[in-house]
Amino acid sequence: MNTYLVTLAIGPVQSMIEAARKTRDLWCGSWLLAESAKAAALVLHKEQNGCLIFPCLENPDEELKLFDQPKHDDANIANILRAEITLEDEAAVCDLLKRAKRAAVERLADLCEKARKQVPSLPFHDELWRAQKDDILESFAAWVEIRNEDYVTASARLGGLLAARKVSRDFLPAATEAEGLGFGIPKSSLDGARESVINLPREKRKDRKYLTALRKLGMSGAEELDALAVAKRRAGDVDQFTAYSRIAADPWVQSLTPSDLKAISVAYEPLVSLELATRVAGNAGIYQSLPYDAQLVFGFRLENALGNVEDAEDREALEALRKSISNIAEKPVPYAVILKADGDRMGELLSKANSAEQSREVSKALHGFARSVRRIVREYRGHAIYAGGDDVLALLPLESSVSCAARLADEFKQAMNGAAEKLNVHPSERPTLSVGLGVGHMVEPLGRLRSRADAAERHAKGDGSESPRNALAIRLGIRSGAETNWRCNWNTSGGAAQDCDGVKAMQRLISEYRAGNCPSRLGYDLRAIAQRQSWANEKGNPLPGIHAAELARTLSRAREMGGEGDLSVDFKSFLDVRAKQTGLAILADELIIARWLSARTQSDIGSLE
């Protein structure tokens, strides 16, 4: 018998997660990939109990059970598995990995079938459906024998073999052939890679007998879906997934009176029955005060829906909702945040592991952090989409996003310190968390919102900068097209992330805006000055004399929101000190972003959009 180190990477991440037009696609794609990885991990675990390194679970028999809907606080199983296993020879290893791959494919195909059964009245291209559901995943495996108990060498070689295997692709025949299967059929609207499996001409899509099924799939008149897209729209429990619009509306919902909430709920329930809206039941039920997607509480969404319905019953239900919200003076702010986070120095930490047991210690710490993520994000009124290892993807309201990011950074550092200490890693070289916050309007394409969060995370990583990694970055995008970026490092001295200068400054500015102590235009005025006088920059001096003079002049003329009084002496002093630390341009960006993060209702944004 020989001991082998094996790894299996399951994907593709692009089509499984990133190809998404609705929040539901993003949610469910993440879950489907994790479920496929879980099925593969279960095969390895059953072959040899205790063989798994990544993931390393406290109770694998329970945590690897397959469920047909997401659970509230489960950590996701990452798509790259690793195990140390004893088998007779390489043929046995190859057979094991083939069975693991097959289990992942079968699990995803099963979830696709369950999704299709929820729309039995809708005609499908059956042959194309069968071809696609078994051809979604691409998996890459590698293994290496551990010789002379040299785990370090085997681990390094395994990583290289997997990388080489990923670029040595199997070019299998496509399902679509000229004049054959799938020829002439429109492509899926999610990514255009596969043909649509919906066998229904567009002119028939307003027929009542198909309308309910199409609405269940969230399909607009011109949208097309492949097999994976159908699974993204209906697999699992759709009510478990929280819409971006519900996250954006949450601060407004929290401000409503019980009578207003009751009136909106009474009006919303028929819309769910008509498949014009969806219910929200996940995230441990924290959105039960208004357990709906909340899309239609936004006036522009409601008017658009009214303009597109033809059925009298649909129109009556929408008009009832409009009446229920017409007397509420304040309107919800249509902006929310996508948080994306990734661990720093994880590769360096793993390279210091001299045995599978030491690697498992790191894996246990990562899994422990991942299990805490959903609870933490929920405390800030957000909902975690994905939490696996050191990767986090979540939706958050504007007002709590910075605090949640800091809390996650602290939790990650604390979770990894124990494993790093056992590997004798110096405190200054231990893993940290870089977090990006992408802020955007709910009508923006989901791909753009996700790309903004990706860009914010890359900015937080800060590769090539003087202080890379261990940072928070925010990227604000508004409907006019302008984008504002801001970055700060978490505490490098070992203190809490919440106490770093940048976070404290951002939180102070948010508080001042909410209290009405700062004019909305101040950040934009300071940005104009910084741009106009960029020639005055001095090396080593963040706030040259002319910038300081312009800042003092601008603050002396500034008035509190509404123009009722001068800025307080204390607040002016704070802004002056902050400008000396960062410079006028960065202070302007801080003010602009803080203004948006402070918004709870549409009137808080005012004319800034």
Side-chain angles (χ1 to χ4, degrees):
M1 301 293 281
N2 303 309
T3 301
Y4 297 90
L5 201 56
V6 304
T7 187
L8 177 62
I10 298 172
V13 174
Q14 172 63 36
S15 61
M16 292 293 291
I17 299 179
E18 295 178 11
R21 297 189 73 196
K22 296 178 179 289
T23 317
R24 190 192 311 180
D25 302 334
L26 188 61
W27 278 107
C28 209
S30 301
W31 178 67
L32 291 169
L33 182 59
E35 281 296 300
S36 302
K38 186 193 289 185
L42 185 59
V43 170
L44 300 178
H45 169 67
K46 286 182 175 179
E47 177 69 23
Q48 197 168 107
N49 190 2
C51 73
L52 288 171
I53 298 175
F54 292 98
C56 186
L57 311 173
E58 292 181 6
N59 190 350
D61 290 322
E62 287 297 318
E63 294 182 67
L64 292 177
K65 280 184 178 179
L66 304 178
F67 296 95
D68 288 340
Q69 61 186 41
K71 297 177 72 177
H72 285 312
D73 289 318
D74 273 5
N76 293 111
I77 301 301
N79 67 314
I80 299 180
L81 311 175
R82 178 179 280 207
E84 183 189 50
I85 196 160
T86 301
L87 293 169
E88 185 174 352
D89 52 29
E90 291 196 11
V93 176
C94 184
D95 177 69
L96 172 63
L97 291 172
K98 284 181 178 178
R99 285 188 283 123
K101 286 183 178 182
R102 188 162 58 249
V105 169
E106 291 173 354
R107 173 60 175 158
L108 182 55
D110 181 56
L111 290 171
C112 287
E113 287 292 346
K114 287 181 167 64
R116 179 177 174 177
K117 287 177 181 177
Q118 296 189 43
V119 285
S121 65
L122 201 61
F124 277 64
H125 295 288
D126 291 324
E127 191 176 355
L128 195 57
W129 168 269
R130 287 191 294 270
Q132 284 189 10
K133 71 184 178 67
D134 294 326
D135 190 37
I136 296 171
L137 292 180
E138 59 178 24
S139 302
F140 303 101
W143 64 88
V144 62
E145 184 180 352
I146 302 176
R147 296 177 179 175
N148 303 319
E149 300 184 354
D150 189 352
Y151 177 84
V152 175
T153 300
S155 179
R157 185 160 182 257
L158 184 69
L161 287 173
L162 181 63
R165 178 64 186 89
K166 284 183 175 181
V167 297
S168 304
R169 295 179 178 269
D170 298 321
F171 290 95
L172 301 177
T176 305
E177 299 174 358
E179 304 297 339
L181 179 62
F183 182 76
I185 294 175
K187 295 286 189 179
S188 171
S189 301
L190 263 64
D191 64 0
R194 297 181 178 87
E195 293 72 27
S196 174
V197 295
I198 309 299
N199 188 12
L200 185 66
R202 292 179 183 177
E203 62 269 16
K204 293 185 177 181
R205 294 188 181 185
K206 290 187 178 181
D207 291 359
R208 195 71 202 180
K209 62 180 179 179
Y210 301 125
L211 199 55
T212 297
L214 292 171
R215 286 176 176 174
K216 279 188 174 183
L217 290 173
M219 291 180 65
S220 62
E223 195 171 29
E224 301 287 351
L225 302 178
D226 62 0
L228 176 58
V230 170
K232 287 181 178 182
R233 295 288 167 89
R234 295 307 305 180
D237 182 353
V238 175
D239 294 348
Q240 292 288 312
F241 307 129
T242 306
Y244 190 81
S245 52
R246 181 59 182 84
I247 301 292
D250 192 66
W252 175 78
V253 171
Q254 298 297 317
S255 72
L256 297 179
T257 64
S259 60
D260 285 337
L261 285 170
K262 183 177 180 180
I264 296 173
S265 294
V266 169
Y268 232 105
E269 195 60 33
L271 296 169
V272 176
S273 301
L274 293 167
E275 300 289 347
L276 291 170
T278 58
R279 193 174 279 106
V280 171
N283 210 17
I286 70 167
Y287 305 120
Q288 287 309 294
S289 57
L290 190 69
Y292 308 101
D293 57 31
Q295 286 248 10
L296 298 173
V297 301
F298 294 90
F300 57 89
R301 286 292 200 200
L302 181 55
E303 294 305 320
N304 183 63
L306 281 164
N308 288 320
V309 295
E310 298 179 357
D311 186 85
E313 187 179 7
D314 293 346
R315 180 169 294 278
E316 183 181 355
L318 290 168
E319 288 288 1
L321 177 63
R322 177 154 68 177
K323 184 178 179 181
S324 73
I325 62 177
S326 62
N327 294 326
I328 301 174
E330 294 290 357
K331 306 302 179 186
V333 62
Y335 284 79
V337 178
I338 297 182
L339 177 151
K340 193 167 185 292
D342 183 60
D344 308 316
R345 303 189 185 91
M346 287 306 304
E348 298 169 30
L349 178 66
L350 290 168
S351 69
K352 297 182 184 297
N354 294 318
S355 66
E357 280 308 309
Q358 288 184 338
S359 290
R360 288 190 180 99
E361 286 295 323
V362 176
S363 182
K364 285 178 184 177
L366 285 170
H367 192 67
F369 166 72
R371 293 196 65 176
S372 72
V373 166
R374 298 188 188 280
R375 171 182 52 80
I376 291 171
V377 173
R378 187 161 56 241
E379 289 176 15
Y380 294 90
R381 303 292 301 174
H383 200 164
I385 295 174
Y386 180 86
D390 60 338
D391 290 326
V392 179
L393 187 65
L395 304 181
L396 285 158
L398 293 173
E399 62 179 2
S400 59
S401 56
V402 173
S403 296
C404 182
R407 175 78 178 280
L408 289 172
D410 286 335
E411 188 76 15
F412 182 79
K413 185 165 62 174
Q414 183 177 349
M416 299 310 301
N417 270 344
E421 188 174 0
K422 288 179 181 179
L423 293 175
N424 297 316
V425 178
H426 191 273
S428 64
E429 298 177 352
R430 291 177 185 175
T432 53
L433 192 71
S434 288
V435 185
L437 301 178
V439 184
H441 196 285
M442 56 178 279
V443 301
E444 286 190 83
L446 185 62
R448 186 183 300 171
L449 294 172
R450 174 69 191 275
S451 295
R452 186 173 295 129
D454 290 342
E457 185 205 36
R458 291 194 298 273
H459 191 199
K461 288 286 186 182
D463 292 337
S465 67
E466 294 181 2
S467 53
R469 300 183 292 274
N470 190 31
L472 166 68
I474 303 174
R475 191 177 184 95
L476 165 68
I478 62 176
R479 292 191 71 190
S480 63
E483 293 207 343
T484 301
N485 295 291
W486 176 82
R487 180 182 186 271
C488 76
N489 282 95
W490 306 120
N491 270 337
T492 56
S493 58
Q498 189 73 52
D499 295 331
C500 74
D501 290 342
V503 170
K504 287 200 296 185
M506 184 64 71
Q507 299 286 40
R508 168 75 186 268
L509 293 174
I510 290 171
S511 298
E512 297 288 355
Y513 276 120
R514 284 188 185 149
N517 297 333
C518 186
S520 297
R521 299 293 312 176
L522 181 59
Y524 295 96
D525 291 342
L526 295 181
R527 172 186 279 177
I529 293 170
Q531 291 174 344
R532 188 169 61 247
Q533 298 180 351
S534 59
W535 55 269
N537 286 336
E538 298 174 4
K539 187 175 181 181
N541 181 11
L543 191 68
I546 192 170
H547 286 188
E550 286 287 350
L551 174 64
R553 181 182 66 83
T554 302
L555 295 182
S556 70
R557 295 181 177 182
R559 298 292 180 267
E560 293 180 349
M561 206 171 292
E564 296 181 358
D566 295 340
L567 303 187
S568 70
V569 174
D570 178 61
F571 187 40
K572 288 181 182 178
S573 176
F574 164 76
L575 292 173
D576 182 64
V577 170
R578 187 64 182 156
K580 290 175 180 175
Q581 293 173 334
T582 66
L584 206 56
I586 293 177
L587 175 61
D589 291 342
E590 282 183 350
L591 282 160
I592 291 168
I593 289 174
R595 178 68 189 92
W596 284 83
L597 294 182
S598 70
R600 289 172 171 165
T601 64
Q602 181 67 44
S603 62
D604 290 333
I605 296 175
S607 61
L608 294 180
E609 205 175 11

